[in-house]
Amino acid sequence: MTSPYEPGATPPPGCPAHAQGGVAAGPADALAQGAPAPGGHPLDQVEGHSLVRLYDPEFAADPHRYYAYLRQYGALAPVEIATGVTAMLVTDYRAALELLNDEATWSKDSRAWMETVPPDTAVMPMLGWRPNALFNDGDVHRRYRQVITDSFRLVEPQELRARVRKTADSLIQKFGATGEVDLMSAYAQQLPLLMFNNLFGMPDEYGDQLVAAIGGLMDGATPEEAAAADAAFSAYIMELVGRKKAQRGADLTSWFLDHPNGLSDEEVVAQIVVTMAAGNEPLANLIANALSRMLSDDRYYSTLSGGALTVQDAINQVLWNDPPMGQYSAHYARRDVFFHGTWVRKGQLVLVSYAAANTQFGEVSLDSGSGSGAHLTWASGPHACPVPRHALVIATTAIERLTAWLSDIELAVPVEELSWRPGAFQRALTALPARFTPITPDQAGATPWDNSSSPSTPPDPTSTRRPSASVG
Ligand code: HEM
């Protein structure tokens, strides 16, 4: 048997593994003598050695460099996702696709794994079991998921687009007159939550409450802030469900409540929370990552004159090369399994890296991307994102609306200075500072504001005009 652990190369300079002695000294040394001892597991032998830490800023700054290193282990590589918490990371496309579609071998239920890690580990909020679609298998999973998919099916794309435009306008209105904005915090992170506030049937004035609550749950909050935010979020959800139980409307909450699968109130709450949580951060990152590409690449100047790139191109680029949730794909082996050359122990956490799998053969260009099969950024198999079309409508419309109103928007810092939020799962900018010619409220009241260089409504959304962009 060939050892899966023969990387033979040193980690990249600045690799998190160097700090504690280096990965190459770990698995390579441990297994240099050959295959694992009979009855043993490779993981037993690498324990005690330093692994690539996915939560370090160095990984966030340049994940593709680490994927290249990790690929030398084979299809799966051992990594650390929080202090003292290890996982196997799938970096190979075929292995990823197979795993995502094999429910018989891989479970999404994290309960047994939770017994094996410190209860206060930083990844628990993302991996702790809940009674929702994401953390359940088989019939239970299907029952929950159907409620979500059937309900979203009732949201018409045209109607969704109109709601995104309205939400986008309300945000742009807040910073339009200033000429500068952090697109991450003032736009990309707020728009999905305001959309969910609307789609789940809450009046607009509750949107800021939801944004504030979720903002308080982000990394970096003190325990007190996180507890307060958690309480605020629970209060929001209780208010939402209470209102809709009292009076139904044409909204997701009412459709969840009335779905023939007959979810209990507790189950409805859990599906609302997972829908908001599973949609919020990926959408924010999709919007921001695509905008960062558009604002730093001259080929996006004009799509009207032909030959230039569109918003859809930017989104496609992100979906292939910079997935919003690079590694958020937790699976647990139902039994000891020898998988694509690596032993995985029963109960072991295995994460699929969509980002590494998509780019196994290098960065995917726009030309090659369209002809080289499907990316895995929506996952695949039973737990694949249930609403990719809705997500695309939201992200595309949000970007089109912004670039239509602020037609000369450009990055306020060189693209190389943008920084990425550390964390094992997401591909998220910490900020996306931009500047533009200010626009002022429209005196005539025909539109929320007026830009002397633009018509009273924004240009056709296929345009991403940026006449004077210069970055860096
Ligand atoms: C309207 C926005 C979105 C909503 C409401 C949403 C909702 C969900 C839900 C409910 C699940 C769990 C499905 C299941 O376990 O059966 C899910 C899974 C997933 N979604 Fe989405 N999503 C949204 C946007 C996105 C975006 C923008 C991306 C990435 C581009 C994405 C990628 C994924 C992936 C990779 C999974 C599988 C996660 C896993 O297996 O651990 N989603 N989504």
Side-chain angles (χ1 to χ4, degrees), residues 11 37 69 89 120 150 170 210 255 295 299 341 351 380 393 410:
Y69 170 72
L89 189 74
D120 60 351
D150 288 351
S170 74
L210 181 60
W255 297 327
L295 303 187
R299 291 174 300 166
L351 297 173
S380 176
V393 166
E410 61 182 8

Side-chain angles (χ1 to χ4, degrees), residues 100 108 132-136 141 145 148 152 196 199 271 274-276 278-284 286 319 323-325 328-331 354 375-380 382-388 390-392 394-395:
L100 292 168
K108 297 284 292 174
N132 66 32
L134 198 52
F135 292 98
N136 288 276
H141 166 246
R145 182 180 168 98
I148 299 170
F152 266 90
F196 288 133
L199 290 170
Q271 306 328 305
V274 75
T275 304
M276 287 189 179
N280 175 38
E281 167 125 28
L283 265 180
L286 183 55
L319 292 173
M325 303 302 283
Y328 190 52
S329 178
H331 297 80
Y354 308 120
H375 61 70
L376 295 179
T377 299
W378 308 109
S380 176
H383 286 270
C385 186
V387 291
H390 294 81
L392 282 177
I394 295 172

